[in-house]
Amino acid sequence: MLGGLLRIWGTRHLLTITFVSSLLFSLSHLLNLTHQSLLSTGFQATSALAIGLLFAAVYLRTDSLWWPIAGHFLNDFLILAASGSLSSSGPIHYGIQIAVSGGELVIAIVTTAWLLRPEERFDIQQKFHLA
């Protein structure tokens, strides 16, 4: 999807393209509402948006899916490894999740904007044969 949007809109709308594809990745996690709470799914969708932004930016800069695939594997592995210690619920647990999700999203937005800054657009155009 990211590549298709890039070919349609070009690099002038690079941040918009990255956000749209990441938002769709995030929304796909709403399917988890079938087996978990709305709050947990909301945290997961927010995290997926942040990770989607980063993975899209890394893909656009490297023209390789290996880094996003490795990052997704590592993210899922760390979540599964930590899930035993995060199994409690309650106000403190949700407060921590809100802080982590919000912080993760802010870091992802700033990092994505830096990775896709205007001076990098020509390089991305060349990698994807858009120029």
Side-chain angles (χ1 to χ4, degrees):
M1 179 177 321
L2 180 67
L5 291 172
L6 188 61
R7 281 185 286 285
I8 292 168
W9 288 345
T11 56
R12 285 184 325 169
H13 303 285
L14 201 53
L15 292 176
T16 302
I17 291 166
T18 304
F19 179 77
V20 168
S21 67
S22 300
L23 182 62
L24 292 173
F25 175 67
S26 172
L27 293 175
S28 72
H29 287 78
L30 294 179
L31 293 172
N32 293 329
L33 281 170
T34 61
H35 64 276
Q36 67 186 22
S37 73
L38 177 62
L39 197 55
S40 293
T41 303
F43 291 134
Q44 188 176 35
T46 302
S47 180
L49 176 61
I51 287 172
L53 288 167
L54 288 174
F55 291 168
V58 167
Y59 170 70
L60 289 170
R61 288 292 300 275
T62 64
D63 190 22
S64 172
L65 282 175
W66 286 110
W67 292 110
I69 289 169
H72 197 291
F73 173 80
L74 180 62
N75 180 66
D76 288 352
F77 175 78
L78 292 173
I79 288 170
L80 288 172
S83 65
S85 63
L86 299 175
S87 61
S88 67
S89 62
I92 293 173
H93 176 68
Y94 290 130
I96 290 170
Q97 278 191 314
I98 290 169
V100 168
S101 293
E104 183 179 45
L105 191 54
V106 168
I107 290 168
I109 289 169
V110 170
T111 304
T112 299
W114 182 79
L115 286 171
L116 302 179
R117 62 195 181 276
E119 53 268 23
E120 298 298 331
R121 290 184 183 158
F122 181 75
D123 186 44
I124 292 169
Q125 285 175 337
Q126 296 301 309
K127 284 180 184 168
F128 289 90
H129 309 289
L130 299 169

